[in-house]
Amino acid sequence: MTIDNARSLAVESLTRVANGAYSNLQLDKTIAHSDLNDADRRLLTNLVYGTIQHRLTLDYYLRSFVKPGEKLEPWVENVLLVALYQMLYLDRIPNRAIFNEAIQYAKDHGHEGIRRFVTGVLHAIDREGVPDVAKISDPLKRLSVTYSMPEWLVTRLSDQLGEDKTVSILETINQPAAQSVRVNTAVTTKTEAKAELEIAGFSVEESQVAGAGLRLDGQPASRSELFNQGQMTIQDESAMLPVEALQIQPGDQVLDACAAPGGKTTQIAAALDPNQGGQVTALDLHDKKVKLIARNAARLQVADRVNAMALDARKVDQKFANQTFDKILVDAPCSGIGLIRRKPEIRYDKTPEDSQHLQTIQLAILDAVSRKLKRNGLLVYSTCTILDTENADVVAQFLATHDNFESVRVTTTKNVKADRDTDTLAIYPDDFDTDGFFVSALRRKN
């Protein structure tokens, strides 16, 4: 297919995302069902993620050229937003090519009135230029529009971290995410995996963050023989830290309370020895996701130490009335704000009420599973968000109502953020160019 087809596929993908599809899954599906060459795949990926990442900014510009209150069909709006993104953020594509493709798409998918409308808007933008965001008088709105982040999130982060740190995070999350993998230490070593990946043509860097982590460049990690053979799996570097914080011993009985799709389950399993009785029990609400955990465990050759089952973590007492665990991981359901770089549409889907509602669920899970921890055992609570509502506030509320638990300092293989003054570990997207994550370690008193 040609570059022009990549633009058309971008519009179609964005329209499906607007109707509820996840951007990463939709993009993978679109690429899998096309015969785009590498250059066009990169362009398609850039157009989809770039347009979503900058959507509030692009929409602010677009509204200056549309009648007040005029509602556009989603696909028409996406035609214009994709064109606008290329005009403003990509410097190697001439406006003529951008305009021709957008107008042709409008002609092919709409009536003559839509074609004329798209043509008129694009030429007006080209003639007049877009509004200057710096002239927005309200500082909160200016940050929101500049970095395409909803105002409530800008406010929340500014209150937590201050404006300078917030701006640093906002600048980072609109950059492409790095590709990282976790070496499966159950079957190989990091040194061996690194050498094989370099022979296969990958550019490989050691992770600054995670003990078993590597950063790859050059081609998708899923194309590697090491991935196909289960010697590594795709996982963000910061997502590896909760399991490191568990300090797994080979014979531990571990509960992974919110386990799907199984990345952390298999990381736990890699540190266990079934000959010493080591096992991880992995829970998820849905049978379909439990099967996914089992498939991942089989691919990574650790199925002999993984017991995956469908169960609401809030009901563990019903299933494990007479059983306790040495270690428990609660990688809790959360707003996912730390994943914005990989799932940029998250920022537009979430509300403050969502975060508050999730806090209630998180506390309920912690309360339930905490009763299943052995004395002197370790419970690690983690999320992939950067909001205190779901992080530090949850830990504080749990400790306030569970005097048989105490906070202990999170330790990781590479001693990440060694100079921090908190027991908990918060990783922000601008710290190491990774996903945002929060990790807390709670010990049951002896």
Side-chain angles (χ1 to χ4, degrees):
M1 292 189 177
T2 66
I3 288 178
D4 288 345
N5 290 112
R7 294 190 187 110
S8 298
L9 289 171
V11 172
E12 293 169 8
S13 297
L14 288 165
T15 302
R16 291 191 176 99
V17 170
N19 289 329
Y22 290 112
S23 60
N24 57 334
L25 300 181
Q26 180 57 49
L27 188 58
D28 289 346
K29 183 177 180 181
T30 300
I31 290 173
H33 288 83
S34 72
D35 58 355
L36 296 172
N37 60 36
D38 285 343
D40 290 348
R41 277 197 294 269
R42 287 193 296 271
L43 177 61
L44 171 61
T45 301
N46 189 334
L47 294 178
V48 171
Y49 280 134
T51 302
I52 296 173
Q53 286 165 340
H54 298 281
R55 191 175 193 100
L56 280 181
T57 312
L58 295 170
D59 190 63
Y60 175 79
Y61 293 146
L62 180 59
R63 288 298 149 185
S64 298
F65 300 92
V66 177
K67 293 177 182 177
E70 183 172 2
K71 186 170 178 60
L72 305 179
E73 289 188 56
W75 73 266
V76 176
E77 184 175 30
N78 284 322
V79 167
L80 291 168
L81 293 176
V82 168
L84 196 49
Y85 172 73
Q86 293 173 85
M87 292 168 67
L88 298 175
Y89 295 96
L90 303 183
D91 56 9
R92 295 186 178 180
I93 304 177
N95 283 359
R96 173 180 47 81
I98 297 169
F99 287 12
N100 287 345
E101 174 63 19
I103 293 167
Q104 186 63 49
Y105 190 96
K107 180 180 179 181
D108 292 343
H109 292 79
H111 51 71
E112 177 61 17
I114 290 177
R115 185 199 66 79
R116 287 199 303 269
F117 171 76
V118 169
T119 302
V121 169
L122 291 176
H123 284 291
I125 293 171
D126 189 39
R127 184 172 60 250
E128 301 173 25
V130 296
D132 184 357
V133 173
K135 292 183 179 179
I136 298 175
S137 58
D138 183 335
L140 180 61
K141 183 176 181 181
R142 185 168 60 247
L143 280 176
S144 172
V145 173
T146 299
Y147 296 105
S148 197
M149 181 71 84
E151 290 187 25
W152 79 267
L153 264 175
V154 176
T155 301
R156 188 68 62 88
L157 292 175
S158 295
D159 290 345
Q160 282 182 205
L161 304 167
E163 185 174 331
D164 289 346
K165 180 64 173 177
T166 297
V167 169
S168 179
I169 292 171
L170 296 179
E171 288 175 342
T172 303
I173 59 175
N174 285 331
Q175 302 303 315
Q179 180 177 218
S180 62
V181 299
R182 174 175 57 81
V183 176
N184 182 11
T185 54
V187 296
T188 189
T189 67
K190 191 163 62 171
T191 301
E192 291 170 344
K194 186 174 184 291
E196 289 191 43
L197 287 165
E198 288 173 340
I199 292 171
F202 286 90
S203 172
V204 186
E205 289 182 13
E206 181 103 4
S207 170
Q208 301 177 61
V209 179
L214 296 173
R215 283 195 176 193
L216 307 186
D217 200 6
Q219 55 183 305
S222 58
R223 297 183 186 178
S224 164
E225 275 303 304
L226 266 69
F227 178 85
N228 295 330
Q229 294 168 4
Q231 296 183 56
M232 70 180 193
T233 192
I234 298 168
Q235 191 172 2
D236 187 77
E237 296 158 88
S238 58
M240 303 176 204
L241 298 181
V243 173
E244 291 187 6
L246 279 170
Q247 304 174 43
I248 301 292
Q249 300 301 309
D252 279 344
Q253 290 288 314
V254 185
L255 176 66
D256 187 355
C258 310
K264 295 179 184 65
T265 300
T266 54
Q267 185 182 355
I268 292 168
L272 296 173
D273 182 351
N275 295 321
Q276 296 185 43
Q279 185 180 60
V280 53
T281 300
L283 310 181
D284 190 86
L285 276 170
H286 306 290
D287 286 323
K288 185 177 180 180
K289 291 186 177 181
V290 170
K291 291 175 182 176
L292 180 58
I293 296 169
R295 283 200 300 272
N296 281 330
R299 184 179 71 82
L300 293 167
Q301 303 174 53
V302 292
D304 59 341
R305 61 205 84 169
V306 174
N307 177 26
M309 64 178 68
L311 182 69
D312 186 332
R314 292 168 289 189
K315 299 178 180 179
V316 288
D317 239 356
Q318 298 177 14
K319 182 70 177 180
F320 304 104
N322 301 311
Q323 183 177 350
T324 54
F325 297 87
D326 300 292
K327 308 284 171 60
I328 296 177
L329 174 63
V330 176
D331 187 46
C334 70
S335 58
I337 301 300
L339 307 180
I340 284 180
R341 195 189 331 231
R342 298 181 192 279
K343 299 178 180 178
E345 69 275 13
I346 286 175
R347 72 186 85 187
Y348 313 120
D349 296 340
K350 304 299 180 181
T351 67
E353 292 73 27
D354 291 332
S355 188
Q356 197 64 50
H357 173 66
L358 283 161
Q359 184 190 86
T360 303
I361 296 172
Q362 292 153 355
L363 284 166
I365 293 172
L366 278 175
D367 177 62
V369 303
S370 67
R371 303 170 204 159
K372 298 288 98 185
L373 187 66
K374 292 180 181 178
R375 290 181 180 179
N376 211 37
L378 200 61
L379 188 163
V380 167
Y381 172 76
S382 64
T383 73
C384 55
T385 191
I386 54 177
L387 300 178
D388 281 352
T389 309
E390 303 169 60
N391 293 340
D393 293 355
V394 168
V395 173
Q397 290 187 56
F398 174 80
L399 290 173
T401 54
H402 295 76
D403 58 7
N404 58 332
F405 277 80
E406 61 184 350
S407 173
V408 295
R409 188 174 177 83
V410 169
T411 59
T412 61
T413 304
K414 298 207 169 187
N415 202 15
V416 179
K417 287 193 169 183
D419 60 347
R420 72 186 190 274
D421 57 6
T422 60
D423 287 342
T424 59
L425 175 62
I427 304 292
Y428 297 100
D430 62 325
D431 289 339
F432 303 101
D433 191 30
T434 66
D435 290 344
F437 242 86
F438 174 83
V439 188
S440 173
L442 304 166
R443 188 179 303 283
R444 184 171 181 178
K445 296 177 183 177
N446 190 3

